[in-house]
Structures are given as C-alpha cells and as structure tokens.
Amino acid sequence: MEVFVTAGPEEAARRAARVVIEAVAESVAAGRAPVVGLATGSSPLGLYKELALAVDRGQVDFSEAYGFALDEYVGLPAGHPESYREVLVAEVCRRVGLAPERLHVPDGSGRNESELAAGAARYEELIRGVGGIDVQILGIGRNGHIGFNEPGSSLTSRTRVKRLSSRTRADNARFFESLDDVPTHCVTQGLGTVLEARRLLLVATGASKAPAVAAAVEGPLTASCPGSVLQFHADALVVVDEAAAAGLRNREYYDESAAGL
Ligand code: F6R
C-alpha cells in the first residue's frame, strides 16, 4: 500500500486525478477500453473536477471508458436526484465526457430480496464482461465502510443488498430533505468485488476521517473496519490530506516512500 499525504484537499484531488489518468493511459496502451470504478459522496468530488480539467487540457479521454458505480440506494424512483446514477451522471459523465450508456450502476429497483439478488448477480457479470475494473475510486465512511460494506461485512463478499447503518444514514441525511428520506438499504459491490479491481485508490480528507483512515491503513485487517481490506490488495493507494492523516503513526515512512527512488 502506498500512502500520499497532501497539504489540503485540493492537492489530494490533483494527486488522485493523476492516478486515474495513469490507469486510463495504461488500459489504452494495453488495447483495452478503460474501466473506472466510481464512488459517490463528497470525497471524490474534487478528483472528478480535476479529471474534467484534464479532459479540457487533452490529457485524458473518457469517451471509450466504462464507469462502474460502487453502490446504489434501494427504492429510490428512477431519476431521483440523489440516486447514485443521477449523481454520477451529473458529477462524472457530464463533466468528463463519459457516455451515460457506458455508466453501470447496481440495480436498486428490485422489489424484493430475490429481484435485488438477481440484479446484483447481473452487476458482477457486467464487471466480468468488460474484463474487470482498472482503477476503483473509493471514499471511506467514518465507521470504516467502503462502498456500503458496513462493519461486519464479509471480506470476500460480492455485490449484494445491505442495510445501511444508522450512522451512515445520519451522515448521508445532508443530501436528503430529512433523515426519514434516506433509504435504509443499498446494493453495493462487495469487498471481494472491490479487491478484484486492478488498482484501488482511496481518497479521504478532513479531520472527521482521521480515525477511519488510521484504522484502515494501520489497524488489523478486520471486517470491523472494511477499509482495512486495502491492506490485502497488491496495488492500493491512499491519498489523504494532513487532517485525515492525523492518526497515522507511520507517517514519516510514507513521506520518505512518496519521495521516490
Ligand atoms: C459512496 C460510497 C461510500 C462513501 C463514504 C464516504 O459511493 O461508497 O463508501 O465513499 O460514505 O462518503 P463521503 O465521501 O461523502 O464522506
């Protein structure tokens, strides 16, 4: 795992954008359509803006790329502005020129457990069908979740329906009119699904993320902190600003390593 600590969120966004741009270039060089795994929430917004600027400068092109969302709420009507499909169309597709038809999002429209499970299985097939995800962008919840794999999620889990913890619902209430409007369930890529991406890129900024970042990066590998699965991946990058890095004990070494050979 590599850890990059930046002065602030803007620099974190620029550093993370470089990682995505490199991954896209590598896929194109290998003759594959780039496949980018997309997180929602606040953490990657700066990164998406930086990618849009890079597109404008001609440094990267997403017209042949596929996007795969990490997760989707269950039960929001199609077109709901807070559904992750709509959020990603607005924040990613429109900004970077990724065709909405090439954006895939887990199907949260199933009316019961078996319909949701069937949709989740189709999502796994879609990811396999494009040859896997090249770079998976991740944020982390204050309780250590990645995707909506809440604490206790199996480290080998696949895309499936999950209940959101009350802490996550409270955190996400800022996007809805009231807490009661926040869905109780979601369909999320599993931790096993996430681990199959060729590269993982976790972005976290702000002091509220410091305990989760410390637990994910330096704590034990445990289902109690789903973000700790990054330790199990051969190519995981963590980009954090000073505030989110505050709990890291091994900071000096990360800075030395970031200085390069
Ligand atoms: C979103 C997702 C979540 C968020 C996490 C952090 O697709 O999968 O894991 O990344 O809840 O959210 P923010 O970035 O809003 O703090």
Side-chain angles (χ1 to χ4, degrees):
M1 184 187 309
E2 284 179 85
V3 181
F4 294 98
V5 183
T6 66
E10 295 83 12
E11 194 190 335
R14 284 193 294 275
R15 184 70 189 81
R18 284 211 323 261
V19 175
V20 176
I21 293 167
E22 272 164 31
V24 168
E26 280 167 26
S27 315
V28 171
R32 292 196 310 267
V35 185
V36 184
L38 300 164
T40 48
S42 307
S43 305
L45 291 179
L47 156 62
Y48 296 147
K49 283 186 192 144
E50 286 298 326
L51 290 177
L53 291 172
V55 168
D56 291 344
R57 291 188 213 110
Q59 292 167 332
V60 65
D61 175 18
F62 289 94
S63 59
E64 298 297 318
Y66 292 101
F68 276 84
L70 263 177
D71 36 32
E72 179 58 288
Y73 290 117
V74 169
L76 291 185
H80 189 290
E82 292 308 329
S83 74
Y84 284 165
R85 172 174 291 283
E86 291 304 313
V87 169
L88 288 172
V89 166
E91 299 294 344
V92 180
C93 294
R94 294 210 182 105
R95 286 177 189 268
V96 308
L98 184 124
E101 309 78 61
R102 295 172 85 88
L103 169 69
H104 297 288
V105 180
D107 183 358
S109 71
R111 288 160 302 176
N112 53 46
E113 223 169 308
S114 75
E115 284 185 12
L116 289 164
R122 282 196 301 277
Y123 198 63
E124 292 273 338
E125 275 166 35
L126 275 172
I127 295 175
R128 271 195 296 277
V130 295
I133 291 174
D134 290 306
V135 57
Q136 175 64 59
I137 297 164
L138 299 164
I140 188 165
R142 289 189 302 141
N143 63 4
H145 72 230
I146 57 171
F148 278 134
N149 295 283
E150 299 284 23
S153 293
S154 158
L155 301 179
T156 61
S157 49
R158 312 303 308 187
T159 302
R160 69 213 182 290
V161 66
K162 278 296 278 185
R163 172 178 276 280
L164 298 171
S165 71
S166 25
R167 192 171 182 187
T168 300
R169 290 187 67 238
D171 281 347
N172 287 7
R174 68 191 193 278
F175 297 114
F176 293 84
E177 275 186 19
S178 75
L179 180 58
D180 287 344
D181 294 321
V182 184
T184 53
H185 289 77
C186 64
V187 178
T188 180
Q189 284 188 36
L191 295 173
T193 319
V194 168
L195 282 174
E196 282 174 7
R198 282 183 266 282
R199 184 171 296 171
L200 301 182
L201 170 62
L202 178 91
V203 183
T205 56
S208 69
K209 297 296 174 71
V213 167
V217 174
E218 295 180 343
L221 172 60
T222 167
S224 298
C225 176
S228 66
V229 289
L230 267 79
Q231 298 175 32
F232 209 61
H233 194 283
D235 193 353
L237 288 98
V238 176
V239 180
V240 283
D241 69 353
E242 286 285 354
L248 294 174
R249 291 183 308 258
N250 217 3
R251 169 71 191 276
E252 194 182 356
Y253 179 67
Y254 306 139
D255 290 348
E256 286 163 8
S257 302
L261 291 176

